[in-house]
Amino acid sequence: MKSTIAFLSTCASGVYAFPASQAAAAADPRFTNWQAPGPNDVRSPCPGLNTLANHGFIPHNGKNNTLPVLIEGLKAGMNMGVDFSTAIGGGGILSSPNPLGGAFDLNDLDEHNFPIEHDGSLSRQDAYFGNDYSFYQANWDMVLSHYKGMDYTSIPVASKAKYARVRNSQTTNPTFTYGPRETIFSYGETALYIQSMSDAYSGKAKLEYVRSLFEQEKLPYAQGWRPSPEEITLATLGQMAVELMAANPNALEEGVTITSNSLKDVWEGKDPILGILANETGCLTGAGSC
């Protein structure tokens, strides 16, 4: 059941607490130890997870990621909260060929429209075009074009860049899928790159840092970046998703209203419109057979 994510989150909350500080970051050699993936290593459609694997915060080979491994690694590397790490981990485990094993490989996340891959990505091709997990410069260049002449991100420009990518995929991909769930994740991933490269609230990330994350899948520690001083959670990401949507003058075309709880709800397997749990086939609980 995709709603199992909610159960996993409940089990994990309150169990793992890894304090993050600038001093801890300075003492951790993983921030400066970066190694590109080898021929037997696997990676995901998510540049953040790939970056953490390249630095060894999670297994460098990308394999056998358990909830404890993710919770500790994402906290240490980017000051991500237990709720976010459990959501990612729960989705990964459910995508694994053996979900009862309690672990997943990063390439298990490369499943179209679940749990994180979707059309209109900022830096990946749509599944229709083939490789939907590797960095794709042409799509990323579309995003960067909106930041021309800027040194830092902003909520209005980030929102505009995100929506432009969606519109581009909509016009070029005959199988384009962009329902309420994908809309929410799209805003959430924009909030994620901003917060992970700056802090949980300002909306201002140095573009040099953002480019390192996407283009090299490398933490820009040597350039001055440090993990957010505030913990990044589904709540902080959800609130920024609301701000990003509010900055989009074409938001009504997307057909969904995002609240601060929307990102958390979809990770918990709830239907974005009706707010009730869906089962693993995507059929709504209590709504009859599908």
Side-chain angles (χ1 to χ4, degrees):
M1 300 277 291
K2 292 182 180 179
S3 57
T4 303
I5 296 175
F7 171 76
L8 291 170
S9 180
T10 301
C11 292
S13 62
V15 176
Y16 301 98
F18 302 98
S21 69
Q22 301 296 320
D28 194 328
R30 291 176 293 184
F31 283 102
T32 53
N33 291 342
W34 179 90
Q35 183 179 358
N40 297 317
D41 300 332
V42 297
R43 292 295 183 263
S44 76
C46 174
L49 290 176
N50 295 347
T51 296
L52 291 171
N54 290 342
H55 281 270
F57 285 101
I58 59 177
H60 185 270
N61 64 6
K63 301 174 182 179
N64 198 34
N65 293 280
T66 63
L67 282 179
V69 165
L70 280 206
I71 291 170
E72 183 173 11
L74 270 64
K75 179 68 175 180
M78 289 183 173
N79 201 12
M80 306 301 299
V82 170
D83 60 348
F84 177 83
S85 300
T86 303
I88 290 285
I93 290 169
L94 293 175
S95 297
S96 167
N98 178 29
L100 295 179
F104 69 98
D105 298 343
L106 289 183
N107 58 339
D108 292 333
L109 294 170
D110 184 28
E111 182 178 337
H112 189 42
N113 287 331
F114 180 77
I116 63 171
E117 190 277 340
H118 60 83
D119 291 336
S121 166
L122 299 171
S123 63
R124 268 64 179 168
Q125 292 192 93
D126 292 354
Y128 172 79
F129 299 108
N131 182 344
D132 59 354
Y133 58 88
S134 298
F135 176 75
Y136 188 64
Q137 187 71 54
N139 285 355
W140 179 237
D141 284 343
M142 294 182 206
V143 175
L144 290 179
S145 68
H146 293 274
Y147 287 115
K148 187 175 181 179
M150 299 174 65
D151 293 324
Y152 290 85
T153 63
S154 72
I155 293 295
V157 176
S159 178
K160 183 178 180 181
K162 183 215 79 73
Y163 190 67
R165 272 293 304 123
V166 169
R167 291 289 293 167
N168 174 263
S169 282
Q170 189 175 32
T171 58
T172 59
N173 178 359
T175 65
F176 180 74
T177 301
Y178 193 70
R181 179 183 175 279
E182 290 76 26
T183 301
I184 293 167
F185 274 134
S186 182
Y187 280 107
E189 71 180 15
T190 291
L192 180 58
Y193 84 72
I194 293 174
Q195 292 189 21
S196 65
M197 290 295 102
S198 60
D199 60 82
Y201 302 106
S202 72
K204 297 179 179 180
K206 199 169 184 178
L207 280 169
E208 178 186 12
Y209 299 167
V210 173
R211 293 189 66 170
S212 179
L213 178 74
F214 279 91
E215 297 172 17
Q216 301 178 58
E217 297 187 337
K218 181 177 183 179
L219 294 173
Y221 193 88
Q223 289 72 44
W225 169 89
R226 297 296 182 271
S228 168
E230 310 90 12
E231 189 173 63
I232 298 169
T233 66
L234 290 177
T236 66
L237 294 169
Q239 181 56 45
M240 189 168 287
V242 171
E243 296 171 16
L244 288 161
M245 183 171 227
N248 181 6
N250 304 111
L252 286 177
E253 298 177 9
E254 296 184 291
V256 63
T257 299
I258 293 181
T259 71
S260 59
N261 289 325
S262 294
L263 189 62
K264 177 177 179 289
D265 287 345
V266 295
W267 271 117
E268 290 181 349
K270 294 179 181 177
D271 178 85
I273 303 299
L274 300 179
I276 59 179
L277 294 177
N279 66 23
E280 62 187 348
T281 66
C283 305
L284 298 179
T285 302
S289 61
C290 297

